Amino acid sequence: SQTIHQWPATLVQPVGSPLSLECTVEGTSNPNLYWYRQAAGRGLQLLFYSVGIGQISSEVPQNLSASRPQDRQFILSSKKLLLSDSGFYLCAWSQINEKLFFGSGTQLSVL
Amino acid sequence: GENVEQHPSTLSVQEGDSAVIKCTYSDSASNYFPWYKQELGKGPQLIIDIRSNVGEKKDQRIAVTLNKTAKHFSLHITETQPEDSAVYFCAAHLPLRDYKLSFGAGTTVTVRA
């Protein structure tokens, strides 16, 4: 069966520090991978998605970047965090035109 | 357009009563409509989905209906229990945009004991 791992679960970072969130998927190959952000009490905002290694599409202009160094690994990064980067970050995967499955999320607080 | 509208934003029901959440979509090419349940501090979990060749689908106490002509679909939870309290999101596929999902804004459901 397929599983998705996302870490860390919580993260507190000072403004201006770098960020790296990692997500891996097991039990499937060539998945579509996604990073979503959820502000407190708000909906799901798609940040990035990837249909293959090295292929990244950005949905919204922002302070963050994403990379896919391996087929089942998706990384969300920032060189310098802003206060507005705080939120709940969710990694997700799907096969094309199939169900979308989310990871457990990372609660990021930028202070 | 790609918008998915979801109503209501909050819903409080007495335990044992039914809860209904409604969504409308604008992209007539959409053909897949999932529903997610998100508990506090956790990732959304897929609870039920429906494809456009089906009008209704049931799974125990939850059901989803789809009216493709009117471009709306609904989630029905019967005999609600306290563990049904969560935020629920509807979504619609966007076939012309790499099959990404467009999500509704969410409904916070509270089941009163």
Side-chain angles (χ1 to χ4, degrees), chain A residues 54-106:
Chain A
Q55 301 178 61
I56 309 294
S57 296
S58 174
E59 288 292 297
V60 294
Q62 57 199 301
N63 182 43
L64 302 168
S65 62
S67 61
R68 185 171 178 173
Q70 299 180 43
D71 181 44
R72 290 169 290 175
Q73 183 185 27
F74 207 23
I75 298 172
L76 184 68
S77 304
S78 174
K79 293 182 180 179
K80 289 185 178 181
L81 283 168
L82 306 173
L83 287 173
S84 58
D85 291 324
S86 294
F88 192 52
Y89 288 84
L90 290 155
C91 181
W93 76 273
S94 73
Q95 292 293 346
I96 189 167
N97 199 23
E98 291 295 333
K99 304 173 192 287
L100 182 71
F101 297 98
F102 286 91
S104 54
T106 295

Side-chain angles (χ1 to χ4, degrees), chain B residues 17-89:
Chain B
D17 289 349
S18 295
V20 180
I21 304 170
K22 298 181 179 181
C23 290
T24 60
Y25 62 98
S26 56
D27 188 341
S28 58
S30 295
N31 59 6
Y32 174 64
F33 307 91
W35 286 88
Y36 289 84
K37 175 184 180 182
Q38 185 178 27
E39 297 177 345
L40 193 63
K42 298 184 178 180
Q45 297 295 309
L46 178 66
I47 55 172
I48 195 168
D49 56 11
I50 191 168
R51 294 192 182 271
S52 60
N53 58 340
V54 176
E56 182 176 1
K57 185 177 179 181
K58 287 184 178 180
D59 183 2
Q60 299 182 349
R61 294 187 297 106
I62 61 173
V64 57
T65 59
L66 170 65
N67 183 328
K68 212 153 167 13
T69 302
K71 296 183 189 173
H72 65 72
F73 56 112
S74 301
L75 179 72
H76 304 253
I77 308 174
T78 59
E79 301 173 22
T80 53
Q81 300 170 4
E83 53 263 38
D84 295 328
S85 296
V87 180
Y88 292 81
F89 293 96

Side-chain angles (χ1 to χ4, degrees), chain B residues 1-4 25-30 71 92-97 102:
Chain B
E2 304 169 355
N3 288 342
V4 174
Y25 62 98
S26 56
D27 188 341
S28 58
S30 295
K71 296 183 189 173
H93 247 171
L94 303 172
L96 300 180
R97 291 206 60 198
S102 178

